Each structure stands twice: as C-alpha cells, then as structure tokens.
Amino acid sequence: MAEPVEYRIAVHIVAALAAISTGGGYTMTVHRAYLAGEPLAEQPTYPAAVLVPLGVDVDTETRDLQDAVVCLAKFMVVAAVPAGTDVVKRVHRLVSDVHRAIMVDPTRGGDAVTTWVRRWEEEYPVDSLSEPGLAVVEIEVPFRTASADLTVAV
C-alpha cells in the first residue's frame, strides 16, 4: 500500500538529515535523525535531529478547478548539539548543515514542487557546559496530490 505524499516527504527529509556527516562534507555528524512520534530504543546521542510535522494547508480555491489538490506541508526540525565550551559555534554550524542537507533535493524525490527553509533560530543554554544547544529550522514544502487519492503526487 502506498503512503500519503506528505508522509513520504517527511521520510525524505529525515533521510536527508540522517545523511549529515563529516564524511559527506558537512561540519558535523548527526548521530540520530528521526520523525517525531517514532519510538526510540535509546536516548539519541548528540548531535541529533527530530522532524516535527506541523500540518498541511490546502489551497481550497484551486481544489474544484482540477483533479489535483495544491498543498503546503509545514515542518520544524529541532536539532541539538552537546554541551561544551564551543556550543554557540556548533549550533551555527548545525543550522548550516541542516539547511544544506534539506536543499540537496528540494523536490523530495519528485513528490514536492520545491522546498523552502522559511526561518531558523538558535537557542543557547544558560549553562553551555551542562546543557545542549538547539537549532530550530522551519520548512515549507509545496506539493500537489490527486484529489481522490492522497498517495499520488501530481
């Protein structure tokens, strides 16, 4: 059974995040990338990245004019680096690595029209020696799906 287009897009983004490694030309290696809600066998090792789906907007004005539905999937990547003296620099590098990895294939394997990184922010701990730093990246992915079957990208 085919998966809905939105889910396939999410899986594609998680795979892109999992590909972040120093061996692949990035500044760091993400040790665990996963979709929010997935069961974790163990606590993720930092750096780690979780993809949080934020919902899908549907363009209702074009819905009745064609056999396709124009949609906009919204996601948030929350990535963390371990505590340490250089946490600020590593958070900035992580934002850059996440952005680069997401944009390797903006069509998400052909399921999306494109991918946009809409905004990001860095969150630094009060005590950088004992708390991780966070990078939050917001993504929007426009896609089209068949109006009668959400598993078909058009």
Side-chain angles (χ1 to χ4, degrees):
M1 175 180 226
E3 298 292 348
V5 175
E6 176 203 3
Y7 179 75
R8 293 196 313 260
I9 289 170
V11 168
H12 192 278
I13 294 170
V14 170
L17 296 170
I20 296 172
S21 71
T22 54
Y26 294 91
T27 63
M28 61 184 57
T29 297
V30 169
H31 295 288
R32 177 84 162 102
Y34 59 98
L35 187 59
E38 285 183 354
L40 296 177
E42 58 190 47
Q43 184 70 20
T45 305
Y46 297 124
V50 59
L51 181 68
V52 182
L54 299 176
V56 176
D57 292 338
V58 177
D59 184 349
T60 56
E61 292 183 23
T62 60
R63 185 178 205 153
D64 297 330
L65 302 177
Q66 51 198 357
D67 292 333
V69 179
V70 178
C71 302
L72 182 66
K74 298 179 181 184
F75 300 95
M76 178 174 53
V77 176
V78 180
V81 297
T85 56
D86 60 348
V87 71
V88 171
K89 177 172 61 176
R90 287 183 287 122
V91 167
H92 281 283
R93 286 180 175 174
L94 185 57
V95 167
S96 177
D97 284 349
V98 166
H99 184 273
R100 182 173 158 218
I102 288 168
M103 297 312 294
V104 166
D105 179 6
T107 68
R108 315 271 55 103
D111 281 330
V113 174
T114 192
T115 299
W116 299 313
V117 174
R118 286 297 187 197
R119 68 181 302 271
W120 64 84
E121 61 185 64
E122 299 90 8
E123 297 182 14
Y124 308 108
V126 174
D127 179 7
S128 65
L129 295 178
S130 62
E131 299 176 30
L134 297 177
V136 180
V137 181
E138 294 178 14
I139 306 165
E140 291 183 350
V141 183
F143 67 97
R144 293 167 44 105
T145 185
S147 59
D149 187 351
L150 296 179
T151 67
V152 177
V154 294

